[in-house]
Amino acid sequence: MDPLPSFLQSLFLVPLTLLPIINPVGVAPIVIGAAGGDDKVLKRLARQVAINGWVVIMVSLLVGTYVLDLFGISLPVVRVGGGLLVAYSAWVMLTRNETDDMQAAVVHASPGDITEAEIVRRSFFPITFPLTTGPGSIAAAIALGAQIPRSPVPYVMGAGIAAIGAAFTAAVVYLVYRNGGRLLMKMGEVGTLVMMRLMAFVLLCIGIQILWSGWADLNHIPT
């Protein structure tokens, strides 16, 4: 088996799985509103949210399965549960028609003027969690982390690839949040809706794949 395609597949699995759940295009208007229309505030806020998001993703990837081990939950069950949640999140994205109540509340609560201390506070709650890296993306990251081999050398390699993939995810989040206004104006309402639906469909397929991987392990079915 050629190692390069396998490496690329592992590298892009993290962003391809998490970005549709994170949906930075959908959250971007909330980030812009939280910045109060100030470009400098928006830049710092986007950067801090991206850093926070990377930390949350990496903790979920590398530590989540060990925490679950304390409760006696097997890795195949984690994959099944994570796959179900990812697929459900994708289905909600495909079928929803209105803005989430939490997102609407954040927009209405965002003042036009924001202090430096408020920037730091809001960079984690509610923008990083639960709007950017919420329960769905955390569960998906745990499910992905469950697929990293436990042997020392493969684990280090897998963790390194996951870290790069998480960094790529965080970079996309930063770029979308930082340039959200211009991006949304260029795409328009219809373009944004079409892109979100396409990403949701890809996410649904990924969730089913994770679910099948766990089910196959539970039933000793070769994949």
Side-chain angles (χ1 to χ4, degrees):
M1 182 177 179
D2 192 342
L4 182 58
S6 178
F7 171 81
L8 293 177
Q9 181 180 9
S10 301
L11 178 63
F12 288 107
L13 181 60
V14 173
L16 285 176
T17 301
L18 297 182
L19 284 175
I21 305 178
I22 293 172
N23 185 23
V25 174
V27 182
I30 300 158
V31 180
I32 296 171
D38 189 316
D39 187 68
K40 292 182 179 179
V41 172
L42 177 61
K43 181 178 180 180
R44 180 177 177 185
L45 191 61
R47 181 175 64 248
Q48 191 60 50
V49 170
I51 294 172
N52 293 346
W54 183 85
V55 172
V56 171
I57 291 170
M58 288 306 299
V59 170
S60 302
L61 278 166
L62 302 181
V63 181
T65 53
Y66 295 100
V67 173
L68 292 174
D69 283 346
L70 295 175
F71 298 94
I73 302 175
S74 66
L75 296 183
V77 170
V78 171
R79 294 190 185 104
V80 171
L84 282 171
L85 188 54
V86 170
Y88 172 76
S89 299
W91 181 255
V92 171
M93 291 171 60
L94 282 169
T95 56
R96 72 181 178 186
N97 295 315
E98 298 180 355
T99 304
D100 183 82
D101 292 338
M102 171 70 79
Q103 297 179 0
V106 173
V107 172
H108 293 311
S110 299
D113 189 19
I114 184 172
T115 64
E116 291 297 314
E118 190 72 4
I119 292 175
V120 175
R121 185 185 69 81
R122 291 195 177 186
S123 69
F124 186 81
F125 181 85
I127 298 177
T128 300
F129 182 87
L131 294 181
T132 302
T133 50
S137 56
I138 290 174
I142 292 175
L144 291 173
Q147 302 182 47
I148 299 177
R150 295 297 184 94
S151 302
V153 175
Y155 179 83
V156 172
M157 294 179 61
I161 294 173
I164 297 173
F168 182 80
T169 303
V172 172
V173 169
Y174 169 77
L175 290 174
V176 174
Y177 287 175
R178 178 68 181 91
N179 303 284
R182 283 174 289 179
L183 179 64
L184 291 174
M185 285 189 294
K186 289 182 179 180
M187 292 182 60
E189 184 177 351
V190 175
T192 301
L193 180 63
V194 170
M195 179 174 159
M196 288 175 60
R197 293 297 189 266
L198 289 174
M199 293 176 70
F201 178 72
V202 172
L203 176 63
L204 178 63
C205 296
I206 291 173
I208 294 174
Q209 179 62 49
I210 295 174
L211 170 62
W212 170 250
S213 175
W215 180 260
D217 285 346
L218 287 172
N219 292 275
H220 306 289
I221 301 174
T223 58

